[in-house]
Structure formats: C-alpha cells, structure tokens
Short mmCIF file of all heavy atoms in Angstrom, two decimals:
data_model
loop_
_atom_site.label_atom_id
_atom_site.label_comp_id
_atom_site.label_asym_id
_atom_site.label_seq_id
_atom_site.Cartn_x
_atom_site.Cartn_y
_atom_site.Cartn_z
N MET B 237 -16.70 -10.93 4.77
CA MET B 237 -17.18 -11.66 5.91
C MET B 237 -16.96 -10.84 7.19
O MET B 237 -16.05 -10.03 7.23
CB MET B 237 -16.41 -12.98 6.07
CG MET B 237 -16.53 -13.94 4.92
SD MET B 237 -15.52 -15.44 5.17
CE MET B 237 -16.39 -16.18 6.54
N ARG B 238 -17.79 -11.09 8.15
CA ARG B 238 -17.62 -10.45 9.47
C ARG B 238 -17.65 -11.57 10.53
O ARG B 238 -18.56 -12.38 10.57
CB ARG B 238 -18.73 -9.46 9.74
CG ARG B 238 -18.64 -8.90 11.18
CD ARG B 238 -19.75 -7.99 11.51
NE ARG B 238 -19.53 -6.75 10.78
CZ ARG B 238 -20.32 -5.72 10.85
NH1 ARG B 238 -21.42 -5.77 11.54
NH2 ARG B 238 -20.04 -4.62 10.19
N THR B 239 -16.63 -11.56 11.37
CA THR B 239 -16.53 -12.53 12.46
C THR B 239 -16.40 -11.78 13.76
O THR B 239 -15.61 -10.83 13.86
CB THR B 239 -15.32 -13.47 12.25
OG1 THR B 239 -15.50 -14.16 11.02
CG2 THR B 239 -15.19 -14.45 13.39
N VAL B 240 -17.15 -12.22 14.78
CA VAL B 240 -17.03 -11.66 16.12
C VAL B 240 -16.40 -12.72 17.01
O VAL B 240 -16.89 -13.84 17.10
CB VAL B 240 -18.41 -11.23 16.68
CG1 VAL B 240 -18.24 -10.68 18.08
CG2 VAL B 240 -19.04 -10.18 15.77
N LEU B 241 -15.29 -12.33 17.64
CA LEU B 241 -14.58 -13.23 18.55
C LEU B 241 -14.64 -12.70 19.96
O LEU B 241 -14.52 -11.49 20.17
CB LEU B 241 -13.10 -13.35 18.12
CG LEU B 241 -12.88 -13.82 16.70
CD1 LEU B 241 -11.41 -13.60 16.31
CD2 LEU B 241 -13.26 -15.28 16.55
N THR B 242 -14.83 -13.56 20.93
CA THR B 242 -14.74 -13.18 22.33
C THR B 242 -13.29 -13.36 22.75
O THR B 242 -12.70 -14.41 22.50
CB THR B 242 -15.66 -14.10 23.19
OG1 THR B 242 -16.99 -13.95 22.73
CG2 THR B 242 -15.57 -13.72 24.65
N VAL B 243 -12.75 -12.31 23.36
CA VAL B 243 -11.31 -12.31 23.72
C VAL B 243 -11.17 -12.26 25.23
O VAL B 243 -11.78 -11.40 25.89
CB VAL B 243 -10.60 -11.10 23.08
CG1 VAL B 243 -9.12 -11.13 23.43
CG2 VAL B 243 -10.78 -11.10 21.58
N ASP B 244 -10.39 -13.16 25.78
CA ASP B 244 -10.11 -13.17 27.21
C ASP B 244 -8.68 -12.72 27.47
O ASP B 244 -7.78 -13.05 26.70
CB ASP B 244 -10.31 -14.57 27.79
CG ASP B 244 -11.76 -15.02 27.78
OD1 ASP B 244 -12.63 -14.17 28.11
OD2 ASP B 244 -12.02 -16.16 27.43
N GLY B 245 -8.48 -11.99 28.54
CA GLY B 245 -7.14 -11.61 28.94
C GLY B 245 -6.80 -10.14 28.72
O GLY B 245 -5.75 -9.69 29.13
N MET B 246 -7.69 -9.39 28.07
CA MET B 246 -7.43 -7.97 27.87
C MET B 246 -7.67 -7.21 29.16
O MET B 246 -8.67 -7.44 29.83
CB MET B 246 -8.31 -7.40 26.77
CG MET B 246 -8.04 -7.93 25.40
SD MET B 246 -8.94 -7.01 24.12
CE MET B 246 -10.65 -7.29 24.58
N THR B 247 -6.75 -6.28 29.48
CA THR B 247 -6.90 -5.52 30.72
C THR B 247 -6.77 -4.01 30.55
O THR B 247 -7.05 -3.27 31.50
CB THR B 247 -5.84 -5.98 31.75
OG1 THR B 247 -4.54 -5.76 31.18
CG2 THR B 247 -6.02 -7.44 32.13
N CYS B 248 -6.34 -3.56 29.35
CA CYS B 248 -6.08 -2.11 29.21
C CYS B 248 -6.15 -1.71 27.73
O CYS B 248 -6.18 -2.55 26.84
CB CYS B 248 -4.71 -1.78 29.78
SG CYS B 248 -3.35 -2.54 28.86
N PRO B 249 -6.14 -0.40 27.48
CA PRO B 249 -6.17 0.09 26.11
C PRO B 249 -4.99 -0.41 25.27
O PRO B 249 -5.11 -0.57 24.06
CB PRO B 249 -6.15 1.61 26.25
CG PRO B 249 -6.80 1.85 27.60
CD PRO B 249 -6.31 0.70 28.45
N ASN B 250 -3.85 -0.64 25.89
CA ASN B 250 -2.71 -1.15 25.15
C ASN B 250 -3.00 -2.54 24.58
O ASN B 250 -2.58 -2.87 23.48
CB ASN B 250 -1.46 -1.19 26.04
CG ASN B 250 -0.21 -1.51 25.24
OD1 ASN B 250 0.05 -0.88 24.21
ND2 ASN B 250 0.54 -2.48 25.70
N CYS B 251 -3.74 -3.34 25.32
CA CYS B 251 -4.14 -4.66 24.83
C CYS B 251 -4.97 -4.50 23.56
O CYS B 251 -4.80 -5.24 22.59
CB CYS B 251 -4.98 -5.39 25.87
SG CYS B 251 -4.17 -5.77 27.42
N VAL B 252 -5.87 -3.55 23.56
CA VAL B 252 -6.73 -3.30 22.41
C VAL B 252 -5.89 -2.91 21.19
O VAL B 252 -6.07 -3.43 20.10
CB VAL B 252 -7.77 -2.19 22.73
CG1 VAL B 252 -8.51 -1.76 21.46
CG2 VAL B 252 -8.72 -2.66 23.80
N ARG B 253 -4.93 -1.99 21.39
CA ARG B 253 -4.06 -1.55 20.29
C ARG B 253 -3.24 -2.72 19.75
O ARG B 253 -3.10 -2.89 18.54
CB ARG B 253 -3.14 -0.43 20.74
CG ARG B 253 -3.84 0.90 20.84
CD ARG B 253 -2.85 2.05 21.08
NE ARG B 253 -2.16 1.93 22.36
CZ ARG B 253 -2.64 2.37 23.51
NH1 ARG B 253 -3.81 2.96 23.56
NH2 ARG B 253 -1.94 2.24 24.63
N THR B 254 -2.70 -3.54 20.66
CA THR B 254 -1.87 -4.68 20.26
C THR B 254 -2.66 -5.65 19.40
O THR B 254 -2.21 -6.08 18.35
CB THR B 254 -1.32 -5.39 21.52
OG1 THR B 254 -0.47 -4.48 22.22
CG2 THR B 254 -0.53 -6.64 21.13
N LEU B 255 -3.87 -6.00 19.86
CA LEU B 255 -4.67 -6.95 19.11
C LEU B 255 -5.20 -6.38 17.81
O LEU B 255 -5.23 -7.08 16.79
CB LEU B 255 -5.84 -7.46 19.96
CG LEU B 255 -5.46 -8.44 21.05
CD1 LEU B 255 -6.68 -8.86 21.84
CD2 LEU B 255 -4.78 -9.67 20.44
N THR B 256 -5.58 -5.12 17.81
CA THR B 256 -6.06 -4.49 16.57
C THR B 256 -4.96 -4.53 15.51
O THR B 256 -5.20 -4.94 14.38
CB THR B 256 -6.52 -3.04 16.84
OG1 THR B 256 -7.58 -3.05 17.78
CG2 THR B 256 -6.96 -2.37 15.55
N ARG B 257 -3.78 -4.14 15.92
CA ARG B 257 -2.63 -4.12 14.99
C ARG B 257 -2.32 -5.53 14.48
O ARG B 257 -2.14 -5.74 13.28
CB ARG B 257 -1.41 -3.52 15.70
CG ARG B 257 -0.30 -3.12 14.78
CD ARG B 257 0.82 -2.38 15.53
NE ARG B 257 0.27 -1.26 16.31
CZ ARG B 257 0.52 -1.04 17.60
NH1 ARG B 257 1.33 -1.84 18.27
NH2 ARG B 257 -0.01 -0.02 18.21
N ALA B 258 -2.29 -6.51 15.37
CA ALA B 258 -1.98 -7.87 14.98
C ALA B 258 -3.02 -8.45 14.03
O ALA B 258 -2.67 -9.07 13.01
CB ALA B 258 -1.86 -8.76 16.22
N LEU B 259 -4.29 -8.20 14.31
CA LEU B 259 -5.35 -8.73 13.43
C LEU B 259 -5.33 -8.05 12.07
O LEU B 259 -5.54 -8.71 11.05
CB LEU B 259 -6.72 -8.56 14.11
CG LEU B 259 -6.98 -9.49 15.28
CD1 LEU B 259 -8.20 -9.03 16.06
CD2 LEU B 259 -7.17 -10.93 14.79
N GLU B 260 -5.07 -6.75 12.05
CA GLU B 260 -5.05 -6.04 10.78
C GLU B 260 -3.86 -6.42 9.91
O GLU B 260 -3.88 -6.16 8.71
CB GLU B 260 -5.14 -4.53 11.00
CG GLU B 260 -6.53 -4.12 11.47
CD GLU B 260 -6.70 -2.64 11.70
OE1 GLU B 260 -5.68 -1.92 11.84
OE2 GLU B 260 -7.86 -2.18 11.74
N GLU B 261 -2.85 -7.05 10.49
CA GLU B 261 -1.71 -7.52 9.70
C GLU B 261 -1.95 -8.87 9.07
O GLU B 261 -1.18 -9.30 8.21
CB GLU B 261 -0.47 -7.58 10.60
CG GLU B 261 0.06 -6.20 10.98
CD GLU B 261 1.26 -6.25 11.89
OE1 GLU B 261 1.69 -7.36 12.29
OE2 GLU B 261 1.76 -5.16 12.24
N VAL B 262 -3.03 -9.55 9.45
CA VAL B 262 -3.34 -10.85 8.85
C VAL B 262 -3.80 -10.63 7.41
O VAL B 262 -4.66 -9.79 7.15
CB VAL B 262 -4.44 -11.60 9.66
CG1 VAL B 262 -4.89 -12.85 8.95
CG2 VAL B 262 -3.95 -11.90 11.08
N SER B 263 -3.24 -11.38 6.50
CA SER B 263 -3.61 -11.27 5.09
C SER B 263 -5.10 -11.57 4.91
O SER B 263 -5.61 -12.57 5.41
CB SER B 263 -2.80 -12.27 4.26
OG SER B 263 -3.16 -12.20 2.90
N GLY B 264 -5.80 -10.65 4.27
CA GLY B 264 -7.23 -10.80 4.03
C GLY B 264 -8.10 -10.03 5.00
O GLY B 264 -9.30 -9.91 4.80
N VAL B 265 -7.51 -9.49 6.06
CA VAL B 265 -8.29 -8.70 7.03
C VAL B 265 -8.31 -7.25 6.55
O VAL B 265 -7.28 -6.66 6.29
CB VAL B 265 -7.69 -8.78 8.45
CG1 VAL B 265 -8.35 -7.78 9.38
CG2 VAL B 265 -7.84 -10.20 9.00
N SER B 266 -9.51 -6.68 6.43
CA SER B 266 -9.62 -5.31 6.01
C SER B 266 -9.85 -4.36 7.20
O SER B 266 -9.51 -3.18 7.12
CB SER B 266 -10.76 -5.14 5.01
OG SER B 266 -11.98 -5.61 5.56
N ARG B 267 -10.40 -4.89 8.29
CA ARG B 267 -10.65 -4.05 9.46
C ARG B 267 -10.81 -4.93 10.70
O ARG B 267 -11.42 -5.98 10.64
CB ARG B 267 -11.91 -3.24 9.23
CG ARG B 267 -12.27 -2.33 10.36
CD ARG B 267 -13.49 -1.53 10.05
NE ARG B 267 -13.83 -0.76 11.24
CZ ARG B 267 -14.47 0.38 11.20
NH1 ARG B 267 -14.86 0.88 10.06
NH2 ARG B 267 -14.74 1.02 12.29
N ALA B 268 -10.30 -4.42 11.80
CA ALA B 268 -10.48 -5.10 13.09
C ALA B 268 -10.86 -4.05 14.13
O ALA B 268 -10.17 -3.04 14.27
CB ALA B 268 -9.21 -5.84 13.51
N ASP B 269 -11.95 -4.29 14.83
CA ASP B 269 -12.38 -3.43 15.92
C ASP B 269 -12.37 -4.26 17.20
O ASP B 269 -13.13 -5.21 17.32
CB ASP B 269 -13.78 -2.88 15.67
CG ASP B 269 -13.84 -1.90 14.53
OD1 ASP B 269 -12.99 -1.01 14.49
OD2 ASP B 269 -14.73 -2.04 13.67
N VAL B 270 -11.50 -3.89 18.12
CA VAL B 270 -11.35 -4.60 19.36
C VAL B 270 -11.91 -3.75 20.49
O VAL B 270 -11.59 -2.56 20.57
CB VAL B 270 -9.88 -4.99 19.63
CG1 VAL B 270 -9.74 -5.75 20.93
CG2 VAL B 270 -9.31 -5.80 18.46
N SER B 271 -12.73 -4.32 21.34
CA SER B 271 -13.38 -3.56 22.41
C SER B 271 -13.03 -4.15 23.78
O SER B 271 -13.30 -5.32 24.05
CB SER B 271 -14.90 -3.59 22.23
OG SER B 271 -15.53 -3.03 23.36
N LEU B 272 -12.47 -3.31 24.62
CA LEU B 272 -12.18 -3.71 26.00
C LEU B 272 -13.45 -3.82 26.81
O LEU B 272 -13.57 -4.66 27.71
CB LEU B 272 -11.22 -2.68 26.63
CG LEU B 272 -10.71 -2.97 28.05
CD1 LEU B 272 -9.96 -4.29 28.10
CD2 LEU B 272 -9.83 -1.83 28.52
N GLU B 273 -14.44 -2.99 26.49
CA GLU B 273 -15.71 -2.98 27.22
C GLU B 273 -16.50 -4.27 27.03
O GLU B 273 -17.14 -4.76 27.96
CB GLU B 273 -16.58 -1.79 26.81
CG GLU B 273 -16.00 -0.46 27.25
CD GLU B 273 -14.87 0.04 26.34
OE1 GLU B 273 -14.80 -0.37 25.17
OE2 GLU B 273 -14.05 0.83 26.81
N THR B 274 -16.48 -4.83 25.83
CA THR B 274 -17.27 -6.03 25.53
C THR B 274 -16.40 -7.27 25.41
O THR B 274 -16.91 -8.36 25.18
CB THR B 274 -18.07 -5.86 24.23
OG1 THR B 274 -17.15 -5.66 23.14
CG2 THR B 274 -19.05 -4.70 24.32
N PHE B 275 -15.07 -7.10 25.53
CA PHE B 275 -14.12 -8.21 25.38
C PHE B 275 -14.36 -8.94 24.06
O PHE B 275 -14.40 -10.18 24.01
CB PHE B 275 -14.19 -9.17 26.57
CG PHE B 275 -13.79 -8.53 27.84
CD1 PHE B 275 -14.76 -8.05 28.73
CD2 PHE B 275 -12.47 -8.35 28.15
CE1 PHE B 275 -14.40 -7.43 29.91
CE2 PHE B 275 -12.09 -7.72 29.35
CZ PHE B 275 -13.07 -7.27 30.22
N ALA B 276 -14.53 -8.17 22.98
CA ALA B 276 -14.81 -8.72 21.66
C ALA B 276 -13.93 -8.10 20.61
O ALA B 276 -13.49 -6.94 20.73
CB ALA B 276 -16.27 -8.53 21.32
N ALA B 277 -13.68 -8.88 19.58
CA ALA B 277 -12.99 -8.39 18.38
C ALA B 277 -13.92 -8.66 17.20
O ALA B 277 -14.32 -9.82 16.97
CB ALA B 277 -11.67 -9.11 18.19
N THR B 278 -14.30 -7.63 16.50
CA THR B 278 -15.11 -7.74 15.29
C THR B 278 -14.17 -7.55 14.13
O THR B 278 -13.53 -6.50 14.00
CB THR B 278 -16.24 -6.71 15.27
OG1 THR B 278 -17.01 -6.87 16.47
CG2 THR B 278 -17.11 -6.88 14.05
N VAL B 279 -14.10 -8.57 13.26
CA VAL B 279 -13.12 -8.56 12.18
C VAL B 279 -13.83 -8.69 10.83
O VAL B 279 -14.60 -9.61 10.61
CB VAL B 279 -12.10 -9.72 12.34
CG1 VAL B 279 -11.01 -9.63 11.30
CG2 VAL B 279 -11.52 -9.70 13.76
N GLU B 280 -13.54 -7.74 9.93
CA GLU B 280 -14.00 -7.80 8.56
C GLU B 280 -12.88 -8.43 7.76
O GLU B 280 -11.74 -7.95 7.80
CB GLU B 280 -14.27 -6.39 8.01
CG GLU B 280 -15.34 -5.63 8.77
CD GLU B 280 -16.75 -6.05 8.41
OE1 GLU B 280 -16.93 -6.72 7.37
OE2 GLU B 280 -17.66 -5.73 9.19
N HIS B 281 -13.18 -9.53 7.04
CA HIS B 281 -12.10 -10.25 6.38
C HIS B 281 -12.59 -11.04 5.18
O HIS B 281 -13.77 -11.34 5.05
CB HIS B 281 -11.41 -11.19 7.38
CG HIS B 281 -12.35 -12.22 7.98
ND1 HIS B 281 -12.43 -13.50 7.48
CD2 HIS B 281 -13.23 -12.13 9.00
CE1 HIS B 281 -13.33 -14.17 8.19
NE2 HIS B 281 -13.82 -13.37 9.12
N ALA B 282 -11.64 -11.37 4.32
CA ALA B 282 -11.88 -12.23 3.17
C ALA B 282 -11.84 -13.67 3.65
O ALA B 282 -11.28 -13.97 4.71
CB ALA B 282 -10.81 -11.98 2.10
N PRO B 283 -12.38 -14.60 2.86
CA PRO B 283 -12.41 -16.01 3.26
C PRO B 283 -11.04 -16.62 3.56
O PRO B 283 -10.94 -17.52 4.42
CB PRO B 283 -13.05 -16.71 2.06
CG PRO B 283 -13.89 -15.67 1.41
CD PRO B 283 -13.12 -14.38 1.61
N GLU B 284 -9.99 -16.13 2.92
CA GLU B 284 -8.66 -16.72 3.18
C GLU B 284 -8.15 -16.42 4.59
O GLU B 284 -7.26 -17.10 5.11
CB GLU B 284 -7.63 -16.29 2.15
CG GLU B 284 -7.28 -14.83 2.15
CD GLU B 284 -8.08 -14.01 1.16
OE1 GLU B 284 -9.13 -14.47 0.64
OE2 GLU B 284 -7.67 -12.89 0.89
N ALA B 285 -8.70 -15.42 5.24
CA ALA B 285 -8.36 -15.14 6.64
C ALA B 285 -9.38 -15.90 7.48
O ALA B 285 -10.41 -15.39 7.88
CB ALA B 285 -8.43 -13.64 6.93
N THR B 286 -9.07 -17.17 7.72
CA THR B 286 -10.02 -18.05 8.40
C THR B 286 -10.19 -17.69 9.88
O THR B 286 -9.33 -17.02 10.47
CB THR B 286 -9.54 -19.52 8.32
OG1 THR B 286 -8.31 -19.63 9.04
CG2 THR B 286 -9.36 -19.95 6.87
N VAL B 287 -11.28 -18.15 10.45
CA VAL B 287 -11.52 -17.93 11.87
C VAL B 287 -10.40 -18.56 12.69
O VAL B 287 -9.92 -17.96 13.66
CB VAL B 287 -12.90 -18.49 12.28
CG1 VAL B 287 -13.07 -18.42 13.79
CG2 VAL B 287 -14.01 -17.70 11.59
N ALA B 288 -9.95 -19.73 12.28
CA ALA B 288 -8.85 -20.40 12.99
C ALA B 288 -7.59 -19.52 12.96
O ALA B 288 -6.88 -19.43 13.97
CB ALA B 288 -8.57 -21.75 12.37
N ARG B 289 -7.32 -18.89 11.83
CA ARG B 289 -6.14 -18.00 11.72
C ARG B 289 -6.30 -16.78 12.62
O ARG B 289 -5.34 -16.34 13.25
CB ARG B 289 -5.93 -17.60 10.26
CG ARG B 289 -4.77 -16.65 10.08
CD ARG B 289 -3.43 -17.35 10.43
NE ARG B 289 -2.34 -16.42 10.33
CZ ARG B 289 -1.52 -16.11 11.34
NH1 ARG B 289 -1.67 -16.68 12.53
NH2 ARG B 289 -0.56 -15.26 11.18
N LEU B 290 -7.48 -16.23 12.68
CA LEU B 290 -7.74 -15.07 13.53
C LEU B 290 -7.54 -15.43 15.00
O LEU B 290 -6.87 -14.69 15.75
CB LEU B 290 -9.15 -14.53 13.30
CG LEU B 290 -9.47 -14.04 11.89
CD1 LEU B 290 -10.94 -13.64 11.80
CD2 LEU B 290 -8.55 -12.92 11.47
N ILE B 291 -8.06 -16.57 15.41
CA ILE B 291 -7.90 -17.03 16.80
C ILE B 291 -6.42 -17.28 17.08
O ILE B 291 -5.90 -16.89 18.14
CB ILE B 291 -8.77 -18.25 17.07
CG1 ILE B 291 -10.24 -17.84 17.09
CG2 ILE B 291 -8.37 -18.93 18.38
CD1 ILE B 291 -11.21 -19.01 17.19
N SER B 292 -5.74 -17.89 16.15
CA SER B 292 -4.32 -18.18 16.32
C SER B 292 -3.52 -16.89 16.49
O SER B 292 -2.61 -16.80 17.34
CB SER B 292 -3.79 -18.95 15.11
OG SER B 292 -2.42 -19.13 15.17
N THR B 293 -3.86 -15.87 15.73
CA THR B 293 -3.18 -14.56 15.84
C THR B 293 -3.38 -13.97 17.23
O THR B 293 -2.45 -13.46 17.85
CB THR B 293 -3.72 -13.60 14.77
OG1 THR B 293 -3.40 -14.15 13.48
CG2 THR B 293 -3.11 -12.22 14.90
N ILE B 294 -4.59 -14.06 17.75
CA ILE B 294 -4.86 -13.54 19.09
C ILE B 294 -4.08 -14.33 20.13
O ILE B 294 -3.48 -13.76 21.05
CB ILE B 294 -6.39 -13.60 19.38
CG1 ILE B 294 -7.09 -12.55 18.50
CG2 ILE B 294 -6.69 -13.35 20.86
CD1 ILE B 294 -8.61 -12.68 18.48
N GLU B 295 -4.04 -15.65 19.98
CA GLU B 295 -3.30 -16.49 20.93
C GLU B 295 -1.80 -16.22 20.87
O GLU B 295 -1.13 -16.25 21.90
CB GLU B 295 -3.61 -17.96 20.66
CG GLU B 295 -5.04 -18.31 21.04
CD GLU B 295 -5.45 -19.72 20.65
OE1 GLU B 295 -4.75 -20.37 19.85
OE2 GLU B 295 -6.49 -20.16 21.17
N GLU B 296 -1.28 -15.91 19.69
CA GLU B 296 0.14 -15.60 19.55
C GLU B 296 0.51 -14.32 20.33
O GLU B 296 1.65 -14.14 20.71
CB GLU B 296 0.51 -15.42 18.07
CG GLU B 296 0.54 -16.71 17.30
CD GLU B 296 0.64 -16.51 15.81
OE1 GLU B 296 0.85 -15.37 15.33
OE2 GLU B 296 0.48 -17.51 15.08
N GLU B 297 -0.47 -13.45 20.53
CA GLU B 297 -0.24 -12.22 21.30
C GLU B 297 -0.43 -12.41 22.80
O GLU B 297 -0.31 -11.49 23.59
CB GLU B 297 -1.18 -11.10 20.80
CG GLU B 297 -0.92 -10.69 19.37
CD GLU B 297 0.47 -10.09 19.16
OE1 GLU B 297 1.00 -9.44 20.10
OE2 GLU B 297 1.03 -10.28 18.08
N GLY B 298 -0.78 -13.64 23.21
CA GLY B 298 -0.89 -13.96 24.64
C GLY B 298 -2.30 -13.91 25.23
O GLY B 298 -2.47 -13.93 26.45
N TYR B 299 -3.31 -13.87 24.36
CA TYR B 299 -4.70 -13.83 24.81
C TYR B 299 -5.38 -15.11 24.34
O TYR B 299 -4.82 -15.87 23.56
CB TYR B 299 -5.42 -12.59 24.24
CG TYR B 299 -4.69 -11.31 24.52
CD1 TYR B 299 -3.74 -10.78 23.63
CD2 TYR B 299 -4.89 -10.62 25.72
CE1 TYR B 299 -3.05 -9.63 23.91
CE2 TYR B 299 -4.20 -9.45 26.01
CZ TYR B 299 -3.29 -8.97 25.11
OH TYR B 299 -2.60 -7.81 25.39
N SER B 300 -6.62 -15.31 24.78
CA SER B 300 -7.38 -16.45 24.26
C SER B 300 -8.63 -15.90 23.60
O SER B 300 -9.11 -14.83 23.94
CB SER B 300 -7.70 -17.45 25.36
OG SER B 300 -8.49 -16.83 26.36
N ALA B 301 -9.16 -16.67 22.65
CA ALA B 301 -10.33 -16.23 21.90
C ALA B 301 -11.21 -17.40 21.52
O ALA B 301 -10.70 -18.52 21.31
CB ALA B 301 -9.91 -15.45 20.67
N THR B 302 -12.48 -17.12 21.38
CA THR B 302 -13.42 -18.09 20.88
C THR B 302 -14.36 -17.40 19.90
O THR B 302 -14.61 -16.19 20.01
CB THR B 302 -14.30 -18.72 22.00
OG1 THR B 302 -14.92 -17.67 22.75
CG2 THR B 302 -13.44 -19.56 22.93
N ALA B 303 -14.84 -18.13 18.91
CA ALA B 303 -15.76 -17.59 17.93
C ALA B 303 -17.16 -17.58 18.55
O ALA B 303 -17.55 -18.46 19.29
CB ALA B 303 -15.77 -18.41 16.67
N GLY B 304 -17.93 -16.54 18.17
CA GLY B 304 -19.29 -16.51 18.62
C GLY B 304 -19.54 -15.38 19.46
O GLY B 304 -19.94 -14.54 19.87
#
C-alpha cells in the first residue's frame, strides 16, 4: 500500500530525518519519504501499518498530519 500524508509543523531538514526514521520504525512500513518542500510523507506499508498508526506516529514526534 502507498499512503500520502500531509504533515504540518516541519521547518528544517532535521524534521524530515526525525519523521522518516520514526515512520520507518513502524511495523509494516517498508519505506517512508518525507518532503519539506511539499510538506508530505509518502509511506509504503503493509495493511497492518494503518493510516491511523502512521498519523499517530507523526503526532508522537510533535507534528500534525492528515491523510490525503
């Protein structure tokens, strides 16, 4: 599956690294590409890594996210 999330609150490359690392640690995620330019995270994942879990992971890092 591929999910694109809009991420709010990113301000620098360190934010991108932090979110990429956090998303890739979620069970079932095979790849996460986070872009500061588009404020988006594109995540390749298995069904057990739900969209709700991905959003929760982003929120745990101090950012907000929405699907779509």
Side-chain angles (χ1 to χ4, degrees):
M237 299 177 68
R238 174 184 286 180
T239 299
V240 178
L241 303 168
T242 301
V243 181
D244 291 318
M246 293 190 298
T247 59
C248 65
N250 189 50
C251 298
V252 171
R253 283 189 296 275
T254 297
L255 285 180
T256 300
R257 196 172 308 128
L259 288 167
E260 288 181 342
E261 289 178 359
V262 173
S263 179
V265 170
S266 58
R267 180 179 176 152
D269 291 313
V270 180
S271 171
L272 184 60
E273 292 79 23
T274 61
F275 297 98
T278 303
V279 185
E280 299 282 344
H281 60 97
E284 66 265 17
T286 64
V287 172
R289 179 65 184 121
L290 299 175
I291 290 173
S292 175
T293 297
I294 291 169
E295 291 173 345
E296 288 169 8
E297 295 298 327
Y299 306 92
S300 61
T302 54

